Amino acid sequence: MTTPAASPDSERAAQLPDYAPIPESAFGPALNEQGYYVGRVERNLFWVTDGVYQSAFLATGDGVVVFDAPPSIGHNLRRAIDETAAAEGVSSTVTHLVYSHHHADHGAAASLFENVVRIGHEETRRLLIRDDDPARPLPDVTFADTYTLEVGGERVELAWRGTNHTPDNIYIHFPDHDTLMFIDVVNAGWVPIYNTNLSDDVQGYMAAPSIALSYPWSHLISGHLGRLATRDDVTLHQQYIADIEASSREALASVDPVPYYMRYGANVWAGVKGHLDTVTERAAAPVIAKYTGVLAAADIEVFTRTTTFAIMQSLRLDKGPSGPVHP
């Protein structure tokens, strides 16, 4: 029998590096045979995860309110709702769907739910019109600053507190369930992925955890990975970001750019690359060393390096000063 030739991707995957063991604190509950976990947050508020993405739903006497519909969870979200509603003895009819923000990875299963009232920030509607994605139907109800959703005797407070991960990312507070849902900023037990979790507004991203902590809550539905977050998780995230900021400031002040520009002469972009790569590497190295074994994936250096680069550039461009003024 002839052994099939390995594909180029298989060969490349076999050569990929190993990484540090995942800290136990990063793990969530085990998934079921269908690849999801559904659990009670408080009373009739539930969360669903596939280990990478998270959604939530509120099971009320007047129907179910869904908060985000990630496509990776997809039809398992419907299964989780049916399973839970049957156990709780309430209707499984979904009446409302709330978008946390416009990104497809958190909302592209929204079209699975028909004949529902869709709610989102006014900027979410504008961006979804732009994106023209039938998997993410437009919100029927929008708001500018705050909106109170009341269904079946339950209350949910939606608020836009400025740009952060995206221009439209909102805070979803469940005051009677001791819970906040705030997506794509803090990853419970893990570092952010590339470029501050692929965020649009670095300074807004950096400020958002303090806003989140200003709400009263014990449980945070953060949108990603396998467990709910705690206030301690948010504080640890803040420490990680603060260490990157401090290290970036030090590296910006200590790395001499002149040798890089002298080395490349007229090729000024090569000089820029040499200078900024050096600043980034010097700033990221101590943070990677400090958080490896503390936050999962801290040793995947590209994550901390790209987040460091984004923060370092934001310090130069948004906070200033970006450098000396030519005489």
Side-chain angles (χ1 to χ4, degrees), residues 216-233:
W217 55 268
S218 298
H219 317 288
L220 176 67
I221 302 167
S222 64
H224 279 288
L225 302 162
R227 69 170 174 84
L228 297 175
T230 66
R231 299 182 77 87
D232 286 344
D233 288 316

Side-chain angles (χ1 to χ4, degrees), residues 163-164 184-185 192 196-197 199 201-209 237 241:
T163 63
N164 47 78
D184 276 346
V185 173
T196 59
N197 265 356
S199 294
D201 182 340
V202 173
Q203 290 299 312
Y205 173 91
M206 293 170 69
H237 168 89
I241 296 297

Side-chain angles (χ1 to χ4, degrees), residues 1 39 52 87 92 117 137 178 198 201 206 215 241 290 313:
M1 179 179 293
V52 180
S92 64
V117 177
D178 200 19
L198 306 175
D201 182 340
M206 293 170 69
Y215 286 87
I241 296 297
K290 178 177 179 179
Q313 289 302 303

Side-chain angles (χ1 to χ4, degrees), residues 247 250-252 254-257 260 271-285 308-309 312:
S247 193
E250 189 281 328
L252 281 169
S254 63
V255 173
D256 179 7
Y260 302 96
V272 168
K273 180 182 185 302
H275 173 219
L276 296 183
D277 282 357
T278 301
V279 172
T280 302
E281 290 167 8
R282 184 173 298 183
T308 299
F309 180 84
M312 179 264 291

